[in-house]
Every structure is written in C-alpha cells, then in structure tokens.
Amino acid sequence: MRIEIQGISKTFCTDGRTVQAVKDAAMTFPAGKTVGILGASGSGKSTLGQIVAGLQRPDTGEILVDGKSVSYPYREPIRRKIQILFQHPEVSFNPRLTLLQSLREPYLLRKLPFDRRELCGRLERFGLYEEHLERYPHELSGGELQRAALMRILVLEPDFIVLDEPTSMLDSISQAQIVRMLRELQEQKGVTYLFITHHAALAELFCDEIYKIFDGKPVPMRESGG
C-alpha cells in the first residue's frame, strides 16, 4: 500500500491559545518500505502519524491511498488495512479484559473462526505462552504487552502500520525483539511502515528514508542505508 499526504495541517486550541501541531506536511510512503519521522517530543510527529492512521481529521490537505483520495473517517477496507502500534501498548487494551478476550476481538471483527490451539501457536512466535492468556494487561510486562498488541494487529492483515515510538518504553532486549519481528513481517508480507521516533540511530538502522520534523513540518533528510 502506497500513501501520499499533501498539504496536511492540524491546529489545536489549548488554554486559550492556538498551536499548529502539523504545518503543510507533504510525504510519500512507498509500498513495502519504511519511512521514518524523526523529531523531539512535542514536534508534531505523533499527531501526523495519527492523521495518517485515520485517528484524527486534518484541518487542510489531502491523503491518497494507492493514488485515490480518501476522506476522514476511513471506511472499510482501508480502515482495517491501516493500523497503528502505540508507544504505550496499554492504551490498546481494555484493562477489564484478559489477554484472551482482547486477542479474540480481531477474529470477531473479521468474522474468522477462532481456534485457541491456533492462537497458542501464534503466541509462541511472539514470545508469549498459553499461561499469558488469562492475565490482565497490568499483569504483563511492557514488552509482553507490545508483542501482544502487534500480534493482534496482524490478525487484521494490514498493509500499512504507523509505528508511533513502539520501542521507546521497552528494555533493550524487548526493543530488539520488536524490531526483528517488524523486519520479518515486512520481508514476508511487504507491509509499509511509518516509523515515528526521537532515536536517530534507530531510525538510521530501520528506515529506508527519513524525514526530520521542525515545528510540525517534515523535511526530508538524506536517504538511509537501512
């Protein structure tokens, strides 16, 4: 899936003042590639990611998916094909549901038959086990919860994933596991990524192309060797 954004802007009114979070953003995300947005906290990179994912409506501009303009809110099948993995994985889970209940939701959404044995086989590929299924989100580590969040997204078979600081809250071992899984998925399925981070070295390692965002406006940097 190829996505282009043209002239995207977004303004918020906070405490009586106006803040322009995204300013005239123009970017292209080629199919099967990873494009990074590098920037400090508060630079507007997460807002831009949420606009691309269809979670926020831009004030101005156009979003094109495979050359066709789309409007907010996204409709099926685009809504399912574009997913987001958040920095804080706990926001993706209902704290009152066990992991098993949460992992069943995408099967219900896609009207797929649910098989606990098949699910357990998938779990092991993500470093999780059947014993985790009866636990609640607060009973899982950050790395376990992020891997579960990624696993749940993949049931929907997305073509494009916004990765919003997906490793910043994890220890180095969990970071490496998530990056390895994402690389393997892209090699196998040709998934396109928008990778949002403040970590320049990780962006260089993981991304095919990098933009740096200044005051809400992404500016292309040199092509990465990743």
Side-chain angles (χ1 to χ4, degrees):
M1 176 181 282
R2 174 189 174 91
I3 293 181
E4 298 172 67
I5 60 172
Q6 301 173 354
I8 295 292
S9 296
K10 180 69 177 180
T11 299
F12 295 102
C13 292
T14 307
D15 297 327
R17 60 192 189 94
T18 300
V19 177
Q20 190 164 25
V22 180
K23 185 189 304 178
D24 195 28
M27 299 177 68
T28 298
F29 308 96
K33 299 294 184 179
T34 300
V35 176
I37 297 181
L38 184 63
S41 178
S43 60
K45 59 187 187 298
S46 289
T47 299
L48 182 55
Q50 290 183 21
I51 289 172
V52 173
L55 299 183
Q56 291 199 43
R57 183 197 302 269
D59 297 330
T60 62
E62 186 176 26
I63 299 173
L64 296 97
V65 176
D66 292 332
K68 296 181 180 179
S69 181
V70 296
S71 58
Y72 180 93
Y74 292 167
R75 292 183 170 84
E76 291 291 349
I78 291 174
R79 186 164 63 103
R80 176 167 56 84
K81 289 295 186 179
I82 301 176
Q83 295 293 317
I84 184 167
L85 189 66
F86 292 102
Q87 176 182 12
H88 299 279
E90 63 273 13
V91 305
S92 300
F93 293 89
N94 185 329
R96 298 181 180 181
L97 298 182
T98 64
L99 184 60
L100 174 61
Q101 292 171 312
S102 290
L103 292 178
R104 289 188 66 172
E105 289 179 338
Y107 287 87
L108 297 174
L109 182 63
R110 291 194 59 207
K111 298 183 170 67
L112 294 174
F114 178 79
D115 184 290
R116 184 177 176 126
R117 221 171 357 171
E118 186 268 343
L119 177 65
C120 289
R122 292 173 64 93
L123 277 174
E124 291 189 13
R125 294 197 292 273
F126 285 82
L128 299 167
Y129 302 96
E130 188 169 9
E131 64 196 57
H132 291 102
L133 290 176
E134 304 308 324
R135 297 180 186 175
Y136 290 89
H138 72 274
E139 297 176 313
L140 297 167
S141 71
E144 289 168 342
L145 207 54
Q146 192 66 298
R147 294 197 299 274
L150 179 58
M151 176 181 163
R152 187 168 68 164
I153 284 174
L154 297 186
V155 174
L156 298 172
E157 297 188 344
D159 291 330
F160 188 103
I161 303 178
V162 175
L163 304 167
D164 188 1
E165 300 266 17
T167 64
S168 66
M169 304 301 292
L170 308 180
D171 59 58
S172 57
I173 294 176
S174 295
Q175 286 181 7
Q177 289 174 330
I178 291 293
V179 169
R180 175 178 53 79
M181 289 176 186
L182 291 169
R183 281 189 180 279
E184 290 176 354
L185 173 66
Q186 192 171 58
E187 290 171 1
Q188 294 166 5
K189 303 288 188 179
V191 179
T192 308
Y193 295 137
L194 163 53
F195 184 65
I196 297 168
T197 185
H198 65 275
H199 197 308
L202 185 57
E204 286 285 341
L205 176 69
F206 189 57
C207 299
D208 297 296
E209 187 178 354
I210 303 171
Y211 288 72
K212 191 160 187 178
I213 193 163
F214 297 95
D215 297 325
K217 186 175 179 65
V219 178
M221 299 173 65
R222 68 176 177 81
E223 186 172 311
S224 171

